[in-house]
Amino acid sequence: MPSTVPTAAVDAPRPSGRARRALPTVAMVAAVALCVAAGNWQRGRMAQKEALGARLAAAAATPVVPLPSVVEDWSTWRFRQVELAGRYDAARQILVDNKVHAGRAGYHVVTPLMLGDGRAVLVNRGWVAQAASRATLPVAPLPTGIVTVHGRLALPAAGYFELASEAAPGPVWQNLDPARFGAATGRAVLPVVIEATVAPVPDDGLVRDWPAPDFGIEKHRIYMLQWYALATLAAGLWLFFTLRRFRSTT
């Protein structure tokens, strides 16, 4: 019996020579457009973080001011140096785990401060080293009575990764979240954290070394240059092979 060839296979249109020659050009244009778009996005992110770094520098240079009583947007107060007074709530003090200073593991000691106007705010009092055994929590002496706190206003991270839920956290927390703190402890606090910069009297021995945030500006710069380099490479390869094909036909 003679073999049969499907009609679709016989009638399937084949790209013309002109269409085949155009494919490298189309691929080059698509690759260049993609790489340039990605480079532009990295450049935009770099510019945003450079502006944020400039805000940090400007905020650090401003005089210390009292913590405002009414704030519509706390992000406008990020990195500002503030002063506030109140009483520490020792019963609700927590330790934020996995904090490293000078190569040593430890905790950040965070305590709610009850302000005179009825509000409460979390104060990161500083870093304390981990004890010889994790079963033993370090001791961080707490000032009593009315205390004055000088510090830098920080916004806690909005998103974070956890290996397990902290539905009922104890004194050791993996992440600092003012909203979760309020729900877990029954003490509502402002959506910010004050990073103390001045030791109390008497000194509690905590380390208050708050480095400037790493905004990753250099990372975005490197990625931007890489994407632009890939766009240049794609255009260069297309030009090279186009010229070579042209010379071979002449």
Side-chain angles (χ1 to χ4, degrees), residues 201-217:
V201 179
D203 194 337
D204 54 17
L206 301 179
V207 177
R208 281 164 283 273
D209 180 17
W210 310 114
D214 180 9
F215 297 117
I217 295 174

PDB file of all heavy atoms in Angstrom, residues 201-217:
ATOM      1  N   VAL A 201      20.906  56.719  82.831  1.00  0.00           N
ATOM      2  CA  VAL A 201      21.696  56.848  84.058  1.00  0.00           C
ATOM      3  C   VAL A 201      20.932  56.148  85.182  1.00  0.00           C
ATOM      4  O   VAL A 201      19.793  56.521  85.480  1.00  0.00           O
ATOM      5  CB  VAL A 201      21.921  58.331  84.420  1.00  0.00           C
ATOM      6  CG1 VAL A 201      22.726  58.435  85.720  1.00  0.00           C
ATOM      7  CG2 VAL A 201      22.634  59.059  83.293  1.00  0.00           C
ATOM      8  N   PRO A 202      21.532  55.097  85.797  1.00  0.00           N
ATOM      9  CA  PRO A 202      22.845  54.513  85.480  1.00  0.00           C
ATOM     10  C   PRO A 202      22.815  53.737  84.168  1.00  0.00           C
ATOM     11  O   PRO A 202      21.760  53.320  83.711  1.00  0.00           O
ATOM     12  CB  PRO A 202      23.096  53.588  86.667  1.00  0.00           C
ATOM     13  CG  PRO A 202      21.727  53.190  87.128  1.00  0.00           C
ATOM     14  CD  PRO A 202      20.857  54.388  86.915  1.00  0.00           C
ATOM     15  N   ASP A 203      24.001  53.548  83.579  1.00  0.00           N
ATOM     16  CA  ASP A 203      24.131  52.876  82.298  1.00  0.00           C
ATOM     17  C   ASP A 203      23.674  51.420  82.428  1.00  0.00           C
ATOM     18  O   ASP A 203      24.044  50.733  83.388  1.00  0.00           O
ATOM     19  CB  ASP A 203      25.590  52.936  81.838  1.00  0.00           C
ATOM     20  CG  ASP A 203      25.749  52.573  80.367  1.00  0.00           C
ATOM     21  OD1 ASP A 203      24.865  51.880  79.831  1.00  0.00           O
ATOM     22  OD2 ASP A 203      26.758  52.970  79.759  1.00  0.00           O
ATOM     23  N   ASP A 204      22.883  50.946  81.472  1.00  0.00           N
ATOM     24  CA  ASP A 204      22.392  49.562  81.512  1.00  0.00           C
ATOM     25  C   ASP A 204      23.328  48.587  80.826  1.00  0.00           C
ATOM     26  O   ASP A 204      23.055  47.381  80.781  1.00  0.00           O
ATOM     27  CB  ASP A 204      20.998  49.481  80.886  1.00  0.00           C
ATOM     28  CG  ASP A 204      20.953  50.078  79.484  1.00  0.00           C
ATOM     29  OD1 ASP A 204      22.026  50.264  78.875  1.00  0.00           O
ATOM     30  OD2 ASP A 204      19.847  50.365  78.993  1.00  0.00           O
ATOM     31  N   GLY A 205      24.427  49.070  80.240  1.00  0.00           N
ATOM     32  CA  GLY A 205      25.409  48.182  79.630  1.00  0.00           C
ATOM     33  C   GLY A 205      25.043  47.696  78.243  1.00  0.00           C
ATOM     34  O   GLY A 205      25.794  46.913  77.651  1.00  0.00           O
ATOM     35  N   LEU A 206      23.924  48.137  77.683  1.00  0.00           N
ATOM     36  CA  LEU A 206      23.540  47.707  76.344  1.00  0.00           C
ATOM     37  C   LEU A 206      24.342  48.459  75.283  1.00  0.00           C
ATOM     38  O   LEU A 206      24.796  49.586  75.520  1.00  0.00           O
ATOM     39  CB  LEU A 206      22.044  47.934  76.122  1.00  0.00           C
ATOM     40  CG  LEU A 206      21.105  47.210  77.081  1.00  0.00           C
ATOM     41  CD1 LEU A 206      19.659  47.553  76.761  1.00  0.00           C
ATOM     42  CD2 LEU A 206      21.327  45.705  77.033  1.00  0.00           C
ATOM     43  N   VAL A 207      24.510  47.826  74.140  1.00  0.00           N
ATOM     44  CA  VAL A 207      25.248  48.428  73.023  1.00  0.00           C
ATOM     45  C   VAL A 207      24.256  49.142  72.123  1.00  0.00           C
ATOM     46  O   VAL A 207      23.332  48.521  71.596  1.00  0.00           O
ATOM     47  CB  VAL A 207      26.027  47.366  72.236  1.00  0.00           C
ATOM     48  CG1 VAL A 207      26.735  48.004  71.036  1.00  0.00           C
ATOM     49  CG2 VAL A 207      27.025  46.648  73.134  1.00  0.00           C
ATOM     50  N   ARG A 208      24.450  50.438  71.941  1.00  0.00           N
ATOM     51  CA  ARG A 208      23.573  51.235  71.073  1.00  0.00           C
ATOM     52  C   ARG A 208      24.389  51.718  69.874  1.00  0.00           C
ATOM     53  O   ARG A 208      24.773  52.873  69.784  1.00  0.00           O
ATOM     54  CB  ARG A 208      22.978  52.411  71.862  1.00  0.00           C
ATOM     55  CG  ARG A 208      21.818  52.028  72.741  1.00  0.00           C
ATOM     56  CD  ARG A 208      21.498  53.082  73.776  1.00  0.00           C
ATOM     57  NE  ARG A 208      22.459  53.032  74.873  1.00  0.00           N
ATOM     58  CZ  ARG A 208      22.320  52.241  75.945  1.00  0.00           C
ATOM     59  NH1 ARG A 208      21.255  51.483  76.065  1.00  0.00           N
ATOM     60  NH2 ARG A 208      23.229  52.224  76.895  1.00  0.00           N
ATOM     61  N   ASP A 209      24.629  50.790  68.967  1.00  0.00           N
ATOM     62  CA  ASP A 209      25.412  51.070  67.760  1.00  0.00           C
ATOM     63  C   ASP A 209      24.510  50.805  66.569  1.00  0.00           C
ATOM     64  O   ASP A 209      24.369  49.672  66.110  1.00  0.00           O
ATOM     65  CB  ASP A 209      26.659  50.180  67.726  1.00  0.00           C
ATOM     66  CG  ASP A 209      27.501  50.421  66.486  1.00  0.00           C
ATOM     67  OD1 ASP A 209      27.304  51.476  65.837  1.00  0.00           O
ATOM     68  OD2 ASP A 209      28.347  49.563  66.159  1.00  0.00           O
ATOM     69  N   TRP A 210      23.887  51.859  66.053  1.00  0.00           N
ATOM     70  CA  TRP A 210      22.925  51.699  64.976  1.00  0.00           C
ATOM     71  C   TRP A 210      23.570  52.127  63.657  1.00  0.00           C
ATOM     72  O   TRP A 210      23.658  53.312  63.367  1.00  0.00           O
ATOM     73  CB  TRP A 210      21.671  52.536  65.235  1.00  0.00           C
ATOM     74  CG  TRP A 210      21.090  52.336  66.598  1.00  0.00           C
ATOM     75  CD1 TRP A 210      21.009  53.256  67.600  1.00  0.00           C
ATOM     76  CD2 TRP A 210      20.508  51.140  67.120  1.00  0.00           C
ATOM     77  NE1 TRP A 210      20.418  52.728  68.703  1.00  0.00           N
ATOM     78  CE2 TRP A 210      20.097  51.415  68.434  1.00  0.00           C
ATOM     79  CE3 TRP A 210      20.295  49.869  66.603  1.00  0.00           C
ATOM     80  CZ2 TRP A 210      19.486  50.469  69.242  1.00  0.00           C
ATOM     81  CZ3 TRP A 210      19.694  48.917  67.402  1.00  0.00           C
ATOM     82  CH2 TRP A 210      19.295  49.213  68.702  1.00  0.00           C
ATOM     83  N   PRO A 211      24.053  51.172  62.871  1.00  0.00           N
ATOM     84  CA  PRO A 211      24.685  51.544  61.589  1.00  0.00           C
ATOM     85  C   PRO A 211      23.657  52.114  60.625  1.00  0.00           C
ATOM     86  O   PRO A 211      22.454  51.846  60.738  1.00  0.00           O
ATOM     87  CB  PRO A 211      25.253  50.218  61.090  1.00  0.00           C
ATOM     88  CG  PRO A 211      24.389  49.170  61.726  1.00  0.00           C
ATOM     89  CD  PRO A 211      23.997  49.719  63.064  1.00  0.00           C
ATOM     90  N   ALA A 212      24.153  52.892  59.694  1.00  0.00           N
ATOM     91  CA  ALA A 212      23.265  53.409  58.649  1.00  0.00           C
ATOM     92  C   ALA A 212      22.726  52.248  57.830  1.00  0.00           C
ATOM     93  O   ALA A 212      23.453  51.302  57.528  1.00  0.00           O
ATOM     94  CB  ALA A 212      24.018  54.383  57.752  1.00  0.00           C
ATOM     95  N   PRO A 213      21.452  52.271  57.476  1.00  0.00           N
ATOM     96  CA  PRO A 213      20.881  51.177  56.685  1.00  0.00           C
ATOM     97  C   PRO A 213      21.594  51.022  55.348  1.00  0.00           C
ATOM     98  O   PRO A 213      22.000  52.001  54.729  1.00  0.00           O
ATOM     99  CB  PRO A 213      19.417  51.614  56.484  1.00  0.00           C
ATOM    100  CG  PRO A 213      19.159  52.624  57.558  1.00  0.00           C
ATOM    101  CD  PRO A 213      20.451  53.307  57.805  1.00  0.00           C
ATOM    102  N   ASP A 214      21.766  49.772  54.935  1.00  0.00           N
ATOM    103  CA  ASP A 214      22.340  49.484  53.623  1.00  0.00           C
ATOM    104  C   ASP A 214      21.190  49.427  52.622  1.00  0.00           C
ATOM    105  O   ASP A 214      20.421  48.463  52.604  1.00  0.00           O
ATOM    106  CB  ASP A 214      23.090  48.163  53.647  1.00  0.00           C
ATOM    107  CG  ASP A 214      23.714  47.824  52.298  1.00  0.00           C
ATOM    108  OD1 ASP A 214      23.705  48.703  51.410  1.00  0.00           O
ATOM    109  OD2 ASP A 214      24.199  46.687  52.137  1.00  0.00           O
ATOM    110  N   PHE A 215      21.063  50.441  51.792  1.00  0.00           N
ATOM    111  CA  PHE A 215      19.954  50.511  50.850  1.00  0.00           C
ATOM    112  C   PHE A 215      20.203  49.692  49.586  1.00  0.00           C
ATOM    113  O   PHE A 215      19.325  49.594  48.729  1.00  0.00           O
ATOM    114  CB  PHE A 215      19.690  51.973  50.465  1.00  0.00           C
ATOM    115  CG  PHE A 215      19.273  52.824  51.631  1.00  0.00           C
ATOM    116  CD1 PHE A 215      20.070  53.885  52.038  1.00  0.00           C
ATOM    117  CD2 PHE A 215      18.105  52.573  52.303  1.00  0.00           C
ATOM    118  CE1 PHE A 215      19.688  54.676  53.112  1.00  0.00           C
ATOM    119  CE2 PHE A 215      17.713  53.353  53.381  1.00  0.00           C
ATOM    120  CZ  PHE A 215      18.511  54.405  53.780  1.00  0.00           C
ATOM    121  N   GLY A 216      21.381  49.107  49.451  1.00  0.00           N
ATOM    122  CA  GLY A 216      21.653  48.291  48.271  1.00  0.00           C
ATOM    123  C   GLY A 216      21.831  49.096  46.996  1.00  0.00           C
ATOM    124  O   GLY A 216      21.546  48.601  45.905  1.00  0.00           O
ATOM    125  N   ILE A 217      22.302  50.330  47.118  1.00  0.00           N
ATOM    126  CA  ILE A 217      22.446  51.186  45.938  1.00  0.00           C
ATOM    127  C   ILE A 217      23.450  50.590  44.957  1.00  0.00           C
ATOM    128  O   ILE A 217      23.214  50.546  43.745  1.00  0.00           O
ATOM    129  CB  ILE A 217      22.865  52.607  46.361  1.00  0.00           C
ATOM    130  CG1 ILE A 217      21.742  53.265  47.177  1.00  0.00           C
ATOM    131  CG2 ILE A 217      23.212  53.461  45.143  1.00  0.00           C
ATOM    132  CD1 ILE A 217      22.118  54.607  47.762  1.00  0.00           C
TER     133      ILE A 217
END
